[in-house]
């Protein structure tokens, strides 16, 4: 169906000479093509009604870590399924499978990973845990060929390169996932994009293939056919990465325009390529790869020349490289804040010369494939690549020890839209006869709006915010005040999962927090403090405080080795403005039961008390009653386990609110029904991270306001479609505006417009 409709769309958009008609046709066509997304969503809802069971037949199209991507073999718009199974499956073969639905975790903290939206943006309808999987006997030769090609190329790299260098090259050329340590080295210096297949690859291949075509004396049309055929095969082999698809579609549109003698500008080409991507999956608009890819190109399109004219450096390649880096970072600034909470000056500087180096590395990596079969050439080229990539990795790891960052909290999507529109209109107005007076007026307006916004924020800024983070089956509390930031526990896991990075670190970045004044360790169970290992080196921690040295010193020693010495405080008394934190001693000697060693903390704000008991067993709770007779908010002990929070304890402290920190679908059954009943019988209102996500207590002028991250209004299909259509219409209006601006420029005798 898609193969029939897309050519009709291309024919219509080129045949209609009136831009208004083309835009109208695009909108109607987009509406029609989006139906398959709604069908998938409705199907998902109907499957849920079948008691969570699923049975289907599909083709294995991709292998991941612990899962397979399955494409159903039915319907005009077959659904894609992520199948988790221990059965070893071969890509390119059909399987019949049965299983149960896996609930996808939404965003549980502001800015945290949203697996629901991520699946939709990557075309995954739902996830299945396979109970029974077997081959049907049907094979798809093209998919088998793709898998074999990737394996053969990877074997060439393994034979000629060192392990780390092989993983980098395989990621750059084939889109394979490198080990976490390598990815982190690139991430720390803001160069993770080099490990993704993007427009850089299309540019390199285009140059190589065009050179081959000219040397072979191909005709122009055959050369174009040769280039496009190869590029489509490459995109197919690498799994259609969105960054590369974006530039290929723009290239295709350029060449199609030449065939019809209708020159195409860059903006219209980008509009066309985004159209095709959104036709395939409207949810792609929520994919960070889509946003970064198109945002980067628009930054170069709108800002590059003007920024270059401002840079007083005379060395041409440095000036141009710095201008490109600034233009890209300027346009994707809101996205960087939403993910990282900072702007990396080091990344901007390194991009100036690392990108050209890696462009050359990419060319050599491609050349290594045929040269592998030439005696000695593969080894010689491998030695050169090993040296270049080895030095680059060493540089990244060394540079990451001296980060140059500007920490800025994410200020919301409203500010982001204002920022992007400001850049657009400034960029649109940059013509040679642009009035300096008008430019100054616009800049003054922007500065006034920012100044007023900052003033309003400062006036409404609370005295503090206390956040009980969702960290899965664990514990983590963050107190932000005007005098400093405190964290009680960081979350963690004794297993392979990394809640510290997934939840705690991502939230700190979102809030623009780069320093924690104190991290208090309630006790040394992994689900409370193992996550601290993921905070370093991105978060500076001034003091790590515990009330004891545990019997099992493995985690204790790991923290001291990787981060810093743990300070042992027998008693805690700390004030940050109106916030006062004190400890309530429980044991005189360290117990072998680590839960019994839990640090009990009382946080007081203007007479309101918040009590944190860690995993303290109920037999020790009476010792708290000796020091504290009432609390307003109780953090329920041990994630709501029946081994804590007795009836006598609740009666003694009479809390108004109770916080339960537990993971969705945890295997312990937390919180236990007995504890829930105890709280209800005591008239305590319950807040739970597993149901409501992160819990926020906002302190202002003696009042405490409670906010929960969930539930949030469910994003409906109609809202997503309207948002995508808004983007499409906006893009059309932008193109129309640029076209009109060009006409005005030409009438005034102006030849250049940015």
């Amino acid at each position: 169906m898609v193969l029939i409709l897309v050519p009709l769309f291309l024919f219509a958009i080129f045949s209609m000479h009136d831009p208004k008609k083309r835009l109208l046709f695009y909108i109607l066509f987009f509406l029609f093509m989006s139906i398959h997304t709604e069908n998938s969503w409705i199907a998902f809802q109907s499957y849920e009604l079948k008691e969570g069971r699923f049975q289907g037949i599909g083709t294995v199209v991709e292998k991941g870590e612990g899962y397979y991507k399955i494409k159903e073999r039915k319907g005009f718009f077959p659904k894609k399924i992520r199948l988790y199974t221990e059965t070893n499956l071969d890509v390119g073969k059909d399987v019949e499978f049965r299983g149960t639905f896996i609930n996808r975790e939404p965003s549980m903290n502001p800015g945290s990973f949203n697996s629901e939206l991520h699946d939709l943006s990557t075309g995954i309808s739902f996830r299945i845990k396979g109970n029974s999987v077997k081959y049907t006997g049907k094979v798809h030769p093209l998919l088998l060929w793709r898998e074999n090609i990737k394996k053969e190329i990877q074997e060439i790299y393994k034979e000629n390169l060192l392990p780390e260098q092989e993983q980098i090259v395989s990621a750059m050329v084939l889109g394979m996932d490198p080990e976490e340590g390598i990815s982190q080295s690139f991430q720390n210096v803001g160069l993770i994009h080099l490990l993704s297949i993007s427009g850089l690859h299309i540019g390199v291949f285009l140059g190589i293939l065009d050179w081959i075509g000219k040397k072979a004396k191909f005709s122009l049309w055959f050369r174009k056919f040769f280039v496009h055929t190869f590029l489509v095969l490459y995109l197919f082999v690498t799994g259609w990465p969105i960054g590369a698809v974006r530039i290929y579609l723009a290239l295709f549109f350029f060449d199609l325009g030449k065939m019809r003698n209708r020159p195409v500008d860059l903006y219209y080409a980008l509009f066309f390529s985004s159209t095709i991507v959104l036709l395939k999956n409207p949810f792609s608009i929520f994919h960070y790869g889509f946003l970064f890819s198109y945002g980067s190109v628009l930054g170069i399109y709108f800002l590059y020349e003007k920024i270059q004219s401002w840079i007083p450096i005379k060395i041409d390649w440095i000036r141009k490289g710095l201008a490109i880096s600034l233009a890209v970072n300027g346009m994707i600034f809101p996205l960087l804040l939403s993910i990282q909470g900072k702007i990396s000056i080091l990344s901007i500087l390194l991009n100036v010369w690392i990108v050209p180096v890696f462009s050359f590395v990419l060319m050599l990596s491609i050349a290594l494939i045929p040269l592998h079969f030439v005696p000695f050439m593969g080894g010689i080229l491998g030695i050169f690549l090993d040296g270049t990539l080895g030095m680059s990795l060493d540089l990244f790891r060394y540079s990451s020890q001296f980060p140059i960052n500007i920490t800025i909290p994410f200020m919301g999507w409203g500010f982001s839209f204002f920022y992007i529109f400001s850049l657009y209109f400034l960029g649109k107005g940059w013509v040679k006869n642009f009035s300096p007076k008008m430019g100054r007026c616009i800049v003054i307006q922007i500065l006034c709006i920012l100044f007023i916004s900052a003033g309003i924020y400062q006036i409404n800024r609370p005295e503090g915010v206390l956040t009980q983070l969702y960290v899965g089956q664990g514990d983590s509390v963050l107190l932000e005040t005007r005098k400093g930031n405190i964290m009680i526990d960081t979350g963690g896991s004794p297993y392979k999962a990394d809640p510290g990075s997934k939840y705690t670190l991502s939230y700190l970045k979102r809030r623009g927090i780069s320093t924690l004044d104190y991290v208090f360790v309630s006790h040394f169970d992994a689900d409370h403090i193992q996550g601290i290992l993921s905070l370093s080196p991105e978060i500076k921690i001034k003091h790590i405080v515990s009330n004891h040295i545990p019997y099992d010193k493995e985690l204790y020693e790991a923290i001291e080795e990787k981060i810093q010495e743990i300070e042992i405080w027998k008693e805690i008394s700390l004030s940050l403005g109106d916030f006062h934190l004190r400890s309530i001693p429980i044991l005189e000697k360290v117990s072998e039961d680590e839960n019994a060693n839990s640090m009990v903390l009382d946080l007081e704000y203007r007479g309101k008390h918040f009590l944190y008991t860690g995993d303290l067993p109920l037999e020790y709770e009476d010792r708290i009653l000796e020091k504290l007779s009432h609390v307003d908010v109780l953090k329920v002990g041990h994630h709501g386990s029946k081994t804590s929070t007795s009836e006598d304890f609740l009666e003694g402290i009479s809390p108004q609110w109770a916080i339960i920190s537990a993971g969705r679908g945890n295997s312990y059954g937390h919180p236990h029904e007995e504890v829930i009943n105890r709280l209800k019988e005591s008239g305590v209102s319950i807040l739970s991270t597993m149901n409501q996500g992160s819990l926020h207590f906002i302190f202002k002028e003696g009042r405490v306001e409670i906010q929960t991250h969930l539930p949030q209004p469910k994003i409906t299909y109609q809202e997503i479609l309207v948002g995508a259509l808004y983007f499409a219409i906006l893009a059309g209006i932008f193109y129309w505006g640029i076209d009109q601006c060009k006409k005005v420029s030409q009438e005034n005798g102006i030849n250049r417009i940015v």
Side-chain angles (χ1 to χ4, degrees):
M1 191 71 169
V2 176
L3 294 177
I4 296 172
L5 292 175
V6 170
L8 288 176
F9 167 74
L10 297 177
F11 174 78
I13 202 169
F14 273 101
S15 300
M16 294 180 183
H17 296 285
D18 186 349
K20 293 181 181 178
K21 291 181 180 178
R22 288 203 300 271
L23 184 58
L24 178 61
F25 176 82
Y26 161 71
I27 294 169
L28 294 175
F29 189 79
F30 184 86
L31 276 167
F32 178 77
M33 289 291 289
S34 298
I35 291 173
H36 74 279
T37 305
E38 183 177 20
N39 287 340
S40 297
W41 185 251
I42 292 172
F44 177 46
Q45 300 295 338
S46 65
Y47 285 137
E48 281 192 316
L49 297 177
K50 295 179 181 179
E51 299 180 0
R53 298 188 181 91
F54 183 87
Q55 178 178 349
I57 297 176
T59 305
V60 182
V61 295
E62 186 180 317
K63 181 178 181 179
E65 188 174 346
Y67 70 88
Y68 296 87
K69 188 181 288 186
I70 307 293
K71 187 175 182 180
E72 277 197 302
R73 307 307 303 170
K74 63 179 181 180
F76 285 119
F77 300 107
K79 292 176 283 295
K80 290 181 181 177
I81 300 162
R82 180 176 282 195
L83 177 67
Y84 291 84
T85 177
E86 295 180 359
T87 305
N88 189 28
L89 302 177
D90 296 327
V91 173
K93 295 183 178 180
D94 279 10
V95 293
E96 181 179 349
F97 57 95
R98 297 179 182 180
T100 54
F101 284 100
I102 297 175
N103 290 324
R104 296 176 291 191
E105 187 177 273
S107 172
M108 300 300 289
N109 304 309
S112 69
F113 183 73
N114 187 329
S115 60
E116 289 181 331
L117 199 55
H118 178 266
D119 278 2
L120 290 172
S121 69
T122 54
I124 301 296
S125 298
F126 35 80
R127 302 181 183 190
I128 301 294
K129 182 179 181 181
N131 300 324
S132 171
V133 184
K134 62 181 180 180
Y135 290 115
T136 65
K138 187 174 181 179
V139 176
H140 298 268
L142 197 57
L143 291 175
L144 287 175
W145 172 82
R146 181 179 74 176
E147 199 66 15
N148 289 333
I149 284 290
K150 291 174 73 172
K151 287 179 180 178
E152 289 177 11
I153 294 175
Q154 199 169 11
E155 284 302 318
I156 290 174
Y157 290 146
K158 286 181 179 179
E159 189 173 332
N160 292 282
L161 300 171
L162 295 172
E164 282 192 328
Q165 284 80 334
E166 177 271 320
Q167 290 191 53
I168 295 172
V169 170
S170 293
M172 291 179 65
V173 178
L174 299 173
M176 311 293 284
D177 293 328
E179 290 181 356
E180 182 63 28
I182 295 174
S183 297
Q184 194 62 48
S185 296
F186 281 78
Q187 180 72 53
N188 289 341
V189 291
L191 296 172
I192 191 66
H193 61 89
L194 294 175
L195 297 180
S196 303
I197 297 176
S198 63
L200 173 66
H201 297 67
I202 301 299
V204 169
F205 273 117
L206 181 61
I208 294 173
L209 295 172
D210 197 54
W211 178 81
I212 293 173
K214 288 178 180 178
K215 288 296 182 181
K217 298 183 179 179
F218 294 154
S219 66
L220 176 62
W221 300 120
F222 186 78
R223 194 161 72 238
K224 294 294 182 186
F225 174 78
F226 171 65
V227 168
H228 282 281
T229 301
F230 185 91
L231 289 178
V232 168
L233 285 173
Y234 176 67
L235 293 174
F236 169 70
V237 168
T238 54
W240 307 102
I242 195 167
V245 168
R246 174 258 303 168
I247 199 66
Y248 171 74
L249 289 173
L251 172 66
F252 175 77
F253 195 53
F254 269 116
D255 288 344
L256 201 59
K258 288 181 181 179
M259 290 175 62
R260 294 184 54 83
N261 294 318
R262 296 184 62 180
V264 178
D265 66 18
L266 174 63
Y267 194 84
Y268 200 13
L270 288 174
F271 177 52
F272 167 80
S273 64
S274 65
T275 297
I276 300 298
V277 172
L278 291 174
L279 285 175
K280 179 67 173 62
N281 179 13
F283 292 99
S284 296
I285 198 169
F286 297 106
H287 195 283
Y288 275 117
F290 179 93
L291 297 173
F292 274 112
S293 178
Y294 284 95
S296 298
V297 177
L298 289 176
I300 295 172
Y301 184 75
F302 284 125
L303 308 177
Y304 166 67
E305 285 196 20
K306 191 64 177 180
I307 291 176
Q308 187 185 182
S309 68
W310 290 346
I311 298 174
I313 299 173
K314 293 184 178 180
I315 302 174
D316 190 57
W317 70 271
I318 295 180
R319 185 178 66 256
K320 289 181 177 179
L322 186 57
I324 290 175
S325 186
L326 289 170
V328 169
N329 280 272
M331 184 60 76
I332 63 175
F333 173 71
L335 290 173
L336 293 174
L337 292 190
S338 71
I339 298 173
Q340 301 177 357
K342 65 183 179 183
I343 297 298
S344 173
I345 305 301
L346 181 63
S347 170
I348 294 173
L349 298 175
L350 283 176
N351 267 287
V352 174
W353 69 274
I354 285 293
V355 170
V357 169
F358 269 70
S359 300
F360 185 60
V361 166
L362 178 60
M363 286 189 283
L364 294 182
S365 301
I366 295 167
L368 180 58
I369 298 171
L371 291 178
H372 167 73
F373 301 99
V374 179
F376 305 110
M377 289 302 297
I380 294 172
L381 198 54
I383 291 172
F384 182 81
L385 284 170
D386 280 338
T388 304
L389 292 172
M391 287 188 292
S392 298
L393 269 178
D394 290 341
L395 173 66
F396 299 163
R397 288 163 178 163
Y398 178 76
S399 300
S400 65
Q401 299 176 28
F402 308 98
I404 311 172
N405 299 321
I406 301 175
T407 302
I408 307 173
F410 180 63
M411 289 175 277
W413 293 111
F415 169 81
S416 302
F417 281 119
F418 166 75
Y419 174 83
I420 294 296
F421 284 140
S422 299
L423 287 186
Y424 166 72
F425 286 114
L426 285 173
K428 177 175 172 287
W430 284 343
V431 293
K432 280 187 175 179
N433 66 342
F434 183 73
S435 167
K437 186 176 180 181
M438 186 184 298
R440 286 194 294 270
C441 180
I442 292 173
V443 170
I444 290 171
Q445 288 177 11
I446 293 173
L447 290 176
C448 286
I449 292 173
L450 291 175
F451 179 77
I452 292 170
S453 300
I456 293 173
Y457 170 76
Q458 192 63 31
I459 291 172
N460 293 309
R461 184 185 177 191
E463 295 168 53
V465 178
L466 181 70
T467 301
Q468 180 74 49
L469 288 170
Y470 177 86
V471 289
Q473 184 62 17
D475 238 323
S476 183
V477 181
L478 173 67
L479 174 63
E480 302 170 68
T481 76
R482 298 177 182 181
K483 300 291 185 179
N485 301 313
I486 293 174
M487 182 163 272
I488 303 171
D489 292 338
T490 61
S493 172
Y495 309 109
K496 224 177 174 183
D498 187 7
S501 177
K502 183 179 180 181
Y503 300 113
T504 315
L505 181 59
S506 66
Y507 183 75
L508 292 173
K509 287 181 177 180
R510 178 83 167 195
R511 296 291 295 170
I513 294 174
S514 59
T515 300
L516 292 171
D517 296 279
Y518 296 90
V519 171
F520 291 99
V521 183
S522 68
H523 61 299
F524 286 91
D525 280 358
D527 60 328
H528 283 253
I529 199 58
Q530 182 266 346
I532 197 172
L533 300 174
S534 300
L535 302 187
S536 177
E538 297 199 48
I539 305 298
K540 180 183 177 182
I541 302 173
K542 293 182 179 179
H543 304 277
I544 302 175
V545 180
S546 175
N547 63 351
H548 71 286
I549 298 174
Y551 271 85
D552 184 352
K553 295 184 175 62
E554 182 179 356
L555 188 51
Y556 177 91
E557 292 173 349
I559 294 171
E560 290 208 319
E561 180 181 348
K562 185 175 180 180
I563 306 177
Q564 64 195 50
E565 182 181 353
I566 298 173
E567 302 172 29
I568 306 299
W569 294 7
K570 292 299 181 182
E571 291 189 14
I572 293 169
S573 181
L574 180 68
S575 295
L576 295 174
D578 287 332
F579 296 90
H580 307 284
L581 186 70
R582 70 183 181 102
S583 62
I584 299 176
I586 302 297
L587 299 179
E588 294 182 359
K589 294 182 179 180
V590 178
S591 170
E592 293 187 27
D593 177 9
E594 185 58 19
N595 288 340
N597 295 320
S598 291
M599 179 190 295
V600 177
L601 294 170
D602 171 35
L603 175 67
E604 185 264 331
Y605 166 77
R606 297 195 185 186
K608 294 179 173 61
H609 291 264
F610 293 71
L611 182 64
Y612 295 88
T613 63
D615 285 351
L616 190 72
L618 54 80
E619 56 262 32
Y620 298 101
E621 291 175 343
D622 58 339
R623 302 185 187 186
I624 299 176
L625 298 177
E626 297 172 5
K627 304 290 178 65
L628 192 66
S629 59
H630 170 73
V631 301
D632 296 275
V633 179
L634 168 67
K635 163 61 185 58
V636 175
H638 207 171
H639 320 289
S641 170
K642 60 187 177 184
T643 59
S644 295
T645 320
S646 65
E647 293 94 334
D648 292 340
F649 180 59
L650 289 173
E651 185 179 348
I653 60 172
S654 59
Q656 182 180 356
W657 293 89
I659 297 172
I660 299 175
S661 179
R664 290 164 66 104
N666 69 82
S667 59
Y668 303 97
H670 293 161
H672 289 151
E673 188 175 352
E674 295 93 324
V675 175
I676 298 296
N677 291 335
R678 291 173 200 166
L679 292 168
K680 288 180 178 179
E681 289 169 3
S682 299
V684 182
S685 300
I686 302 172
L687 297 169
S688 170
T689 59
M690 66 185 294
N691 296 323
Q692 295 160 298
S694 56
L695 311 171
H696 308 271
F697 297 83
I698 301 168
F699 304 94
K700 187 176 181 182
E701 298 176 354
R703 301 189 309 273
V704 181
E705 178 187 344
I706 301 174
Q707 295 180 358
T708 63
H709 184 59
L710 297 176
Q712 294 179 335
K714 199 73 176 178
I715 298 177
T716 65
Y717 163 74
Q718 289 79 6
E719 290 171 331
I720 293 172
L721 181 58
V722 167
L725 280 173
Y726 174 75
F727 169 82
I729 293 169
L730 200 61
I733 292 171
F734 284 179
Y735 162 70
W736 187 273
I738 285 184
D739 188 57
Q740 295 301 312
C741 194
K742 283 185 175 180
K743 289 179 181 178
V744 172
S745 300
Q746 290 168 359
E747 290 172 2
N748 294 332
I750 301 170
N751 297 319
R752 180 176 70 88
I753 177 171
V754 178

